[in-house]
Amino acid sequence: MKHRAIDLSSEVRRAQLPDGLSGFLFPMYEAIWNAMHSIEDRFESDLEEHGRLEVTFDAQMREVSVVDNGNGFDKTNLAAFLTPLTGNKYERGGKGFGRFMAFKVFSRVFYSTGQEQASGVMTKGCYRYDPFSDEDNLITVSEADGAGEHRYDTGVTVLMRSPKADFEDYFLLEGKERQYNHTAEDIVSAVLNHFLIEFIQRKIPKHFVLTIEGVKFNLYQYFHDSLSVGGKCTEEILIGSETIEFSFDYFHVGEEHAKKHRLYFYANNRAASELENISSGLTRLMHEGREFGWRM
């Protein structure tokens, strides 16, 4: 006997999104995660220089796209993509389920890809994704009917469109008729906060561009312009009978971005605390004319 096939549709229905803007942006976050991992797999330590990550938030068309120049749908990645709950990204904290969460917010998802196969042959493809189909899940479509031609030789374009009724108003960034009050700047800040550790780890390409209604934000530059290295220090702490040496790095946060940043404690290549909102403390300290830095 063997396990029955997973009821993916029911699993997606049971899955819960965060409230508010974070829930709406969750599918975009997941697509960005996958893009960053693909870029890291391809370029490794050179990802900052050679990686390309481009996100477009199109309020008029009610769609979001994420484009990267990572490995694309090569044999290994395609097999993992077509396997629900794969352990392919277990060591990175992935559960193989994130891409399905797009269907909590959007009704239609498309992929365009470019990749080098093991034989050395370069291939491209354009697809509509239907994870709930009993037949094909990655259905070949024309570029005009899908996400268009992928703009790089390798990598993936993800296009999410046709938002469900509960999420349509999240695309409204201005006007009296909008239900929510978030702005383009709020979306930028949300992405920066969500990927804070990756920025600190320098796992973000220098070309990480978020375009919202035609306005381009280079998030790598945006983040690093708000920080300056404050210095380093070393402390020795007695633990039991052994003295352990701890090294700390400090960053200074510019006043312009102070309210957008939060405190993280990061140690031994792992996040060791939850995000802590320190806006009120920053404001008080700056009013007193004191310098404040992040400790990581």
Side-chain angles (χ1 to χ4, degrees), residues 18-175:
D19 293 332
L21 183 62
S22 293
F24 168 67
L25 294 177
F26 194 88
M28 185 176 82
Y29 293 156
E30 289 297 318
I32 293 173
W33 277 120
N34 290 334
M36 290 194 306
H37 291 160
S38 183
I39 289 169
E40 183 179 8
D41 288 344
R42 182 183 180 195
F43 296 110
E44 298 180 341
S45 60
D46 293 327
L47 70 87
E48 277 192 303
E49 296 296 332
H50 299 299
R52 297 290 183 271
L53 181 48
E54 299 162 2
V55 182
T56 301
F57 183 95
D58 191 329
Q60 292 189 352
M61 296 298 293
R62 302 290 197 274
E63 62 185 32
V64 174
S65 67
V66 178
V67 181
D68 70 74
N69 68 336
N71 283 333
F73 281 171
D74 59 17
K75 184 178 179 180
T76 300
N77 288 337
L78 181 59
F81 183 87
L82 293 174
T83 306
L85 305 180
T86 177
N88 190 45
K89 295 183 179 179
Y90 177 78
E91 292 184 354
R92 289 165 162 167
K95 300 178 179 63
F97 193 75
R99 63 190 176 281
F100 306 121
M101 296 297 285
F103 294 91
K104 299 285 289 185
V105 177
F106 297 92
S107 298
R108 306 177 74 198
V109 178
F110 300 89
Y111 288 83
S112 289
T113 72
Q115 54 276 321
E116 182 178 5
Q117 302 297 348
S119 63
V121 174
M122 303 297 296
T123 62
K124 285 198 170 186
C126 199
Y127 311 94
R128 177 172 64 85
Y129 187 41
D130 183 358
F132 312 122
S133 173
D134 292 330
E135 298 178 357
D136 288 344
N137 299 121
L138 206 54
I139 303 156
T140 301
V141 297
S142 68
E143 293 173 358
D145 292 332
E149 181 181 8
H150 182 63
R151 67 185 63 141
Y152 296 108
D153 290 339
T154 63
V156 172
T157 296
V158 185
L159 176 65
M160 297 170 280
R161 58 168 42 149
S162 303
K164 297 183 178 180
D166 290 345
F167 295 96
E168 282 209 12
D169 281 351
Y170 282 100
F171 278 100
L172 300 178
L173 302 180
E174 58 185 18

Side-chain angles (χ1 to χ4, degrees), residues 228-239:
S228 62
V229 177
K232 299 176 181 287
C233 76
T234 301
E235 299 287 345
E236 292 185 348
I237 300 176
L238 182 63
I239 301 178

